[in-house]
Amino acid sequence: MTTFNMPLLFQKRHILPAGRMHLYLSGITHITTLRALLLSKTGIGICMFSNKSSRKKLYNIGTRVTIEDFNHEPNNPLIRLNIYGQELFKITTIEQGNDDIMWGKCLQLPHWPQQQLTTEQQLLSTRLQLMFNKYPDLDKLHHQQEFDNLSWLCQRWLEILPLPTQEKQTLLNHPDCLQACDYLMSKIYTQH
């Protein structure tokens, strides 16, 4: 498996392989971080954290992302980065540089293989299409939609559902999407 070093950002919002999202950073407080991110040849590691308890908990599975575009409007301190999820990784060690940037030594995890939908699993596709129709901004983010690929569907659901971070981490630690699919299907059925 491939190992690499890259700058890390810990976020409450989650992005997974083949996912897209807007990431907002302050041009004032994150100027050093922004410079490192834009210069990084390996991309950026977006990692999950949870602050539901009294202490912030950092998780070791993240997604290497690349910056597709960025936008900074005059008189706005925030810079919007459009990022795309490449692959999952597991952090083996973290170091903080002199510039306060967190750097991780990371081990690339295998992609979930594509899976064709069964008739029962079609519900995940139908519901996600309804979600995309209801939220056009979400629909616009994903230029290439794979509503017939169970792996892609499960990753999109894990990005948008407000599930506990620990549960997402556990599901991402599996070699394919089948555990995530069973979990998501159980959530759909218990909502009725």
Side-chain angles (χ1 to χ4, degrees):
M1 290 196 173
T2 307
T3 60
F4 45 87
N5 289 316
M6 69 180 157
L8 302 176
L9 286 176
F10 289 87
Q11 300 284 310
K12 289 184 199 175
R13 294 176 53 217
H14 307 141
I15 183 170
L16 299 174
R20 284 187 165 82
M21 83 174 186
H22 300 305
L23 179 66
Y24 294 90
L25 297 178
S26 167
I28 298 166
T29 59
H30 291 104
I31 191 72
T32 309
T33 304
L34 281 167
R35 187 177 300 120
L37 300 181
L38 293 171
L39 294 174
S40 174
K41 293 187 181 357
T42 55
I44 315 160
I46 301 292
C47 306
M48 302 177 192
F49 77 85
S50 172
N51 61 355
K52 292 197 183 250
S53 63
S54 59
R55 290 184 4 195
K56 189 185 294 187
K57 178 169 173 54
L58 306 178
Y59 291 93
N60 68 343
I61 295 178
T63 304
R64 183 178 72 83
V65 302
T66 52
I67 299 172
E68 294 186 317
D69 192 14
F70 65 93
N71 185 20
H72 183 238
E73 296 176 8
N75 303 322
N76 186 345
L78 296 179
I79 297 173
R80 185 185 78 194
L81 303 174
N82 299 335
I83 58 175
Y84 177 74
Q86 297 290 338
E87 72 261 332
L88 292 176
F89 61 84
K90 187 175 281 192
I91 302 169
T92 56
T93 58
I94 296 178
E95 293 180 7
Q96 188 162 355
N98 295 335
D99 49 11
D100 290 333
I101 298 172
M102 304 289 276
W103 288 84
K105 184 174 183 181
C106 305
L107 177 66
Q108 182 178 333
L109 297 176
H111 282 282
W112 281 353
Q114 288 191 7
Q115 302 269 343
Q116 292 299 309
L117 298 175
T118 65
T119 304
E120 182 184 14
Q121 295 163 343
Q122 187 64 42
L123 184 60
L124 288 173
S125 178
T126 304
R127 292 274 176 97
L128 190 61
Q129 289 178 56
L130 290 172
M131 181 83 71
F132 277 31
N133 289 336
K134 185 175 181 178
Y135 300 100
D137 288 344
L138 186 62
D139 184 52
K140 280 192 274 185
L141 272 178
H142 296 87
H143 318 154
Q144 298 173 326
Q145 299 172 353
E146 300 179 41
F147 290 110
D148 58 348
N149 177 359
L150 185 60
S151 296
W152 186 86
L153 289 170
C154 288
Q155 289 175 103
R156 300 301 67 82
W157 277 115
L158 290 175
E159 286 172 341
I160 61 178
L161 286 178
L163 304 172
T165 306
Q166 182 59 53
E167 290 180 26
K168 290 184 184 189
Q169 290 279 303
T170 301
L171 294 170
L172 294 173
N173 215 12
H174 289 277
D176 58 41
C177 67
L178 297 178
Q179 292 287 334
C181 176
D182 290 346
Y183 178 86
L184 294 166
M185 293 293 287
S186 72
K187 290 288 184 193
I188 287 175
Y189 286 127
T190 56
Q191 289 180 351
H192 285 89

